[in-house]
Amino acid sequence: MPTSDPGSDCVAAAIHADWTPRNRRYDEAYCAVNEARDAYERCLRNASMHKEKSIAFFTDRCNAEDEGAYVSFNGRTHHVRRQPGKPHRDVRYAGTYKGDGVVVRIVPRRLIERHVDPSDPLDATVRYAVDVEIRYGGETARIAAVYDDQR
């Protein structure tokens, strides 16, 4: 289950998935570090604000490409590195990543939106439907998600 990446505040491209009720148990685990009941409940209310939003679970956190990326699922974040392969024109994260016992494969499916800055035609941002396959501990999950470099 995708979990929100707890990384930096920088404006990095990210892959998002919809929040679902199955995410609730990971929100609870995240908030459990608060021993005071009111702090726990406040944390859970804030975490549950994602119900109408999406969860950014894959990003490079504005790091250099050779430093890898981060994928967050089931309440943990894993550092992964891109494997050699053919790049995609629009989706910088397309390809296969490995590390920390995890294999992530990102496959672009269709363009959702392209925005070109009128003052600089070379400055384009995209939102793209992608399929994300995560293999970890003998299990495989497939997630329909959105790559967004507009954030």
Side-chain angles (χ1 to χ4, degrees):
M1 177 62 48
T3 321
S4 190
D5 180 77
S8 71
D9 298 1
C10 78
V11 183
I15 295 179
H16 302 263
D18 290 336
W19 188 96
T20 70
R22 290 176 59 196
N23 291 99
R24 172 91 177 171
R25 77 179 198 171
Y26 300 109
D27 291 345
E28 290 170 353
Y30 175 78
C31 293
V33 298
N34 294 296
E35 293 178 14
R37 186 73 183 165
D38 62 329
Y40 170 80
E41 289 177 4
R42 187 172 47 254
C43 175
L44 199 53
R45 274 193 309 276
N46 291 339
S48 295
M49 289 172 46
H50 292 292
K51 287 183 181 180
E52 301 300 323
K53 299 179 184 177
S54 60
I55 298 167
F57 70 98
F58 188 96
T59 182
D60 64 9
R61 297 183 186 165
C62 295
N63 290 330
E65 219 172 285
D66 62 339
E67 292 181 23
Y70 301 87
V71 60
S72 298
F73 59 91
N74 296 351
R76 289 192 54 217
T77 298
H78 303 268
H79 185 219
V80 292
R81 294 193 181 274
R82 179 189 294 279
Q83 302 302 295
K86 183 179 176 185
H88 186 272
R89 186 185 96 172
D90 290 327
V91 180
R92 191 174 80 211
Y93 296 157
T96 301
Y97 294 77
K98 292 182 182 179
D100 200 17
V102 179
V103 176
V104 180
R105 187 168 162 252
I106 300 166
V107 179
R109 291 296 175 207
R110 68 177 170 77
L111 178 67
I112 296 171
E113 176 184 13
R114 177 184 307 275
H115 173 74
V116 178
D117 184 339
S119 65
D120 183 1
L122 298 177
D123 183 13
T125 56
V126 298
R127 292 183 70 232
Y128 227 95
V130 296
D131 289 337
V132 179
E133 179 182 279
I134 301 173
R135 287 183 282 162
Y136 180 70
E139 295 185 38
T140 300
R142 289 177 181 80
I143 303 163
V146 174
Y147 167 84
D148 187 351
D149 66 4
Q150 298 180 24
R151 292 186 171 244

